[in-house]
Amino acid sequence: MKKVLILIDIQNDFIPGGALAVTDGDKVVPVANALMDKYDLVVASQDWHPVGHKSFASQHECKNIGDLIELDGLQQILWPDHCVQQTGGAEFAAGLDVDKINKIIHKGTDPNIDSYSCFFDNARRKSTGLDDYLKAQDVDEVCIVGLATDYCVKFSALDAVSLGYQTTVVLDGCRGVELSPGDCEKAVIEMKEAGVIISQAQRM
Ligand code: VGL
Ligand code: ZN
């Protein structure tokens, strides 16, 4: 059996200077690079929205970033325009060792539904194909680093556990949006309760 390192959304828009910047988001890059050689496979997800994605506050009249709306029957937080396909903001962050990435997973491509997890969209209506890929490669262990702890990292880790993978989140290789103070701490508790192992890079 094999183990995979999954890099979640280490993209320009999530690091300082980007459209949805996560504090110290760039600090995850060296942690991710240092871990790559310890895994059989490296997969990277990219948040990959079409222009005018419905998770963007700009697409809704009289709504602001951070507002909650209902989108296709699901609660949706509104974000600034970010990670638009083929733009610099959607590219991998500078310094990330992209040559070692074996497979790239695009998510958030459907304009009407957001996708925080690298396995499924938020309603689990569509899969990204990652589970099939990992099962075909004989992977049973998943290790996750990237952005953001309280959104895409959390939902990817919860899905990985529910799909039967032994799942570890390397916390010093992650940073969070922290829209409300305490969101990252809550995400860690939620992940632990679901059976996710929370660890540190030096222990991997
Ligand atoms: C993310 C908000 C919106 C993430 C993506 O990668 O955590 N967060 N789109
Ligand atoms: Zn997004």
Side-chain angles (χ1 to χ4, degrees):
M1 299 301 271
K2 291 185 184 156
K3 47 184 197 170
V4 65
L5 178 67
I6 304 183
L7 317 176
I8 300 290
D9 301 0
I10 307 183
Q11 293 167 270
N12 287 331
D13 271 341
F14 294 121
I15 65 171
L20 214 174
V22 172
T23 306
D24 288 339
D26 52 326
K27 303 257 167 69
V28 309
V29 172
V31 181
N33 287 344
L35 285 172
M36 290 182 187
D37 284 338
K38 302 187 173 180
Y39 291 82
D40 302 300
L41 278 175
V42 178
V43 170
S45 69
Q46 280 179 308
D47 209 28
W48 197 249
H49 298 308
V51 171
H53 192 270
K54 292 295 200 303
S55 73
F56 298 166
S58 62
Q59 301 306 302
H60 305 272
E61 268 176 55
C62 306
K63 292 285 175 195
N64 297 308
I65 291 161
D67 284 355
L68 266 180
I69 63 157
E70 199 179 294
L71 183 58
D72 243 21
L74 293 184
Q75 275 217 337
Q76 175 68 50
I77 300 174
L78 296 178
W79 302 107
D81 288 25
H82 66 280
C83 295
V84 173
Q85 298 170 10
Q86 321 291 353
T87 65
E91 283 172 19
F92 288 120
L96 189 67
D97 205 345
V98 292
D99 291 345
K100 292 192 180 147
I101 296 171
N102 300 107
K103 187 172 180 65
I104 293 174
I105 295 288
H106 286 148
K107 62 183 188 60
T109 54
D110 183 330
N112 295 309
I113 187 152
D114 215 351
S115 186
Y116 295 143
S117 159
C118 58
F119 291 98
F120 301 102
D121 63 35
N122 288 0
R124 279 207 171 206
R125 275 180 212 140
K126 268 189 247 153
S127 124
T128 60
L130 180 57
D131 182 41
D132 289 340
Y133 171 78
L134 295 180
K135 298 237 154 95
Q137 299 277 336
D138 241 11
V139 169
D140 66 343
E141 244 186 272
V142 163
C143 176
I144 296 177
V145 295
L147 307 169
T149 316
D150 36 357
Y151 289 94
C152 294
V153 167
K154 178 180 94 170
F155 286 101
S156 298
L158 294 177
D159 278 346
V161 163
S162 79
L163 290 166
Y165 299 98
Q166 185 197 300
T167 306
T168 303
V169 167
V170 174
L171 212 53
D172 50 331
C174 301
R175 294 293 187 280
V177 177
E178 200 83 352
L179 216 52
S180 310
D183 280 355
C184 287
E185 208 182 310
K186 270 192 240 159
V188 168
I189 292 168
E190 212 179 313
M191 289 190 280
K192 275 188 186 161
E193 281 175 356
V196 177
I197 301 158
I198 303 292
S199 194
Q200 303 289 325
Q202 63 170 34
R203 289 203 265 139
M204 301 308 292

